[in-house]
Amino acid sequence: SRSHFEGRTSPPAGLAAMPGQYSADPKQHTLSPIVTGATVIGIKYNGGVLIACDTLACYGGQKRYKDVCRMKQAGEYTLLGASGEFSDFQYMSKMLDELDNEDFLNEDGFRMGPHEYSSYIGRVMYNRRSKMNPLYNQFVVVGKKKDGPTQLSFVDHQGTFFNEDFVATGFGAHLAVPLLRNEWKGDISLEDAEQLAVKYLQLSF
């Protein structure tokens, strides 16, 4: 029988590395988060919106990093908190900084608000999920743009995006949200909202 390599002076390139590739190994994606943050809680109150989270980032099963900020200011009117893989949160933070910088350089007097940022994050998350390489995060996005209404949004690693009066991520989605359904009221004060946030962060922690 004729050899597969007949007429060749060297083995096929596929056995080493294809042109333009850095490795012959298959393309790999993150399969499980390593450094992770847990619960973020967002609560609307009468006149504003509150967001709270702890400062713990776990390395696998270890409570390794105990003074980590999992919140990020985006533009002038928006604040977001993240649970999940911390490096993916840093990646998203860099993208938001670049977006805000481009917004500033346009010098057109328009700046993005919480609705625009949460929508943008949702599209980025859905795009990465569609490529089978998701960012392993859940985001709580809050803010108020000038005279507009306060906004509280939830975005997850699949691109799910919705507005709500109260949300929680991580363990808090299972423990805090069912209890908030019973205790949250439309005219809740800032002080009462703070007490609820502390109470349910302690419960989730």
Side-chain angles (χ1 to χ4, degrees):
S1 62
R2 299 180 62 184
S3 170
H4 178 69
F5 298 111
E6 185 176 345
R8 295 180 182 269
T9 58
S10 62
L15 297 183
M18 295 294 290
Q21 291 186 335
Y22 296 103
S23 171
D25 296 329
K27 187 174 182 180
Q28 298 179 352
H29 300 316
T30 302
L31 299 179
S32 59
I34 302 299
V35 179
T36 58
T39 302
V40 180
I41 294 178
I43 303 173
K44 278 187 178 181
Y45 62 88
N46 187 15
V49 59
L50 175 147
I51 184 173
C53 67
D54 57 61
T55 60
L56 176 68
C58 296
Y59 180 76
Q62 295 180 336
K63 295 182 178 180
R64 177 67 178 83
Y65 308 104
K66 300 180 180 179
D67 190 22
V68 174
C69 180
R70 295 192 284 115
M71 289 190 185
K72 164 75 178 173
Q73 180 178 343
E76 295 183 1
Y77 310 107
T78 308
L79 185 67
L80 68 147
S83 61
E85 173 59 51
F86 193 73
S87 63
D88 287 346
F89 168 53
Q90 292 174 315
Y91 173 79
M92 178 61 74
S93 296
K94 183 179 179 181
M95 294 183 69
L96 295 179
D97 285 339
E98 292 174 351
L99 192 64
D100 180 54
N101 188 50
E102 181 180 349
D103 209 14
F104 171 77
L105 293 175
N106 286 332
E107 296 184 345
D108 56 3
F110 177 82
R111 302 303 296 271
M112 293 174 62
H115 176 75
E116 291 83 9
Y117 277 111
S118 55
S119 179
Y120 172 80
I121 293 170
R123 296 311 91 212
V124 170
M125 302 297 267
Y126 182 78
N127 177 265
R128 289 293 298 260
R129 168 254 190 184
S130 298
K131 294 179 179 179
M132 303 299 175
N133 187 20
L135 300 176
Y136 288 89
N137 292 115
Q138 292 178 323
F139 292 102
V140 175
V141 185
V142 304
K144 184 178 187 299
K145 183 177 179 181
K146 297 184 179 178
D147 296 329
T150 56
Q151 174 150 340
L152 172 58
S153 303
F154 171 90
V155 186
D156 72 4
H157 66 288
Q158 294 179 323
T160 304
F161 158 50
F162 59 86
N163 298 324
E164 188 53 270
D165 293 323
F166 51 86
V167 296
T169 67
F171 213 29
H174 305 285
L175 295 179
V177 170
L179 298 174
L180 278 168
R181 291 193 183 108
N182 295 326
E183 298 197 40
W184 184 87
K185 300 176 182 178
D187 59 349
I188 188 173
S189 66
L190 172 59
E191 292 75 18
D192 291 340
E194 288 176 347
Q195 292 177 6
L196 287 180
V198 171
K199 175 182 176 180
Y200 294 129
L201 279 175
Q202 291 175 337
L203 176 65
S204 301
F205 191 78

